[in-house]
Amino acid sequence: IYAPGDPRPILCIAGGTGIAGIMSILRCASEEGHFSRSSGSVFFGVRTRADAFYLSELNELAGAANGGLEVTVALSEDQP
C-alpha cells in the first residue's frame, strides 16, 4: 500500500493486466514528488512484447523521475 508522504522506496511487481493498479500508484507517487526523495522499482511481466502495454507511460514516469524509478519488463515467451 502506498501512502503519499511515505519515505520508503516503492517496489511494484505485476503481470499482464495487473499493471493497471500499479500505474495509479506510480502516477500518484510521481505527482507527489516521491522519486526525488526515494527510489522506486517496477517489474512488469508479460508473455511477449506484443502483450506489453503502458510502455510509453512507464518510460515517461521513469524519465520524469530522473533516475529515481527503474522499470524492468520481463518477457516469458519471446525468443532472445
Side-chain angles (χ1 to χ4, degrees), residues 3-4 10 19-21 30 33 65 75:
I10 294 175
I19 194 70
S30 180
L75 307 175

Side-chain angles (χ1 to χ4, degrees), residues 13-79:
I13 303 170
T17 60
I19 194 70
I22 299 301
M23 292 303 295
S24 177
I25 292 168
L26 295 173
R27 286 184 191 116
C28 180
S30 180
E31 289 171 5
E32 180 298 295
H34 178 85
F35 301 117
S36 64
R37 299 184 307 276
S38 189
S39 64
S41 298
V42 178
F43 296 89
F44 177 32
V46 291
R47 290 183 185 163
T48 68
R49 185 170 177 83
D51 297 323
F53 49 97
Y54 283 130
L55 297 183
S56 62
E57 292 91 340
L58 287 165
N59 188 49
E60 287 176 22
L61 288 167
N66 293 318
L69 177 63
E70 182 178 311
V71 176
T72 302
V73 177
L75 307 175
S76 64
E77 294 182 10
D78 261 357
Q79 297 297 319

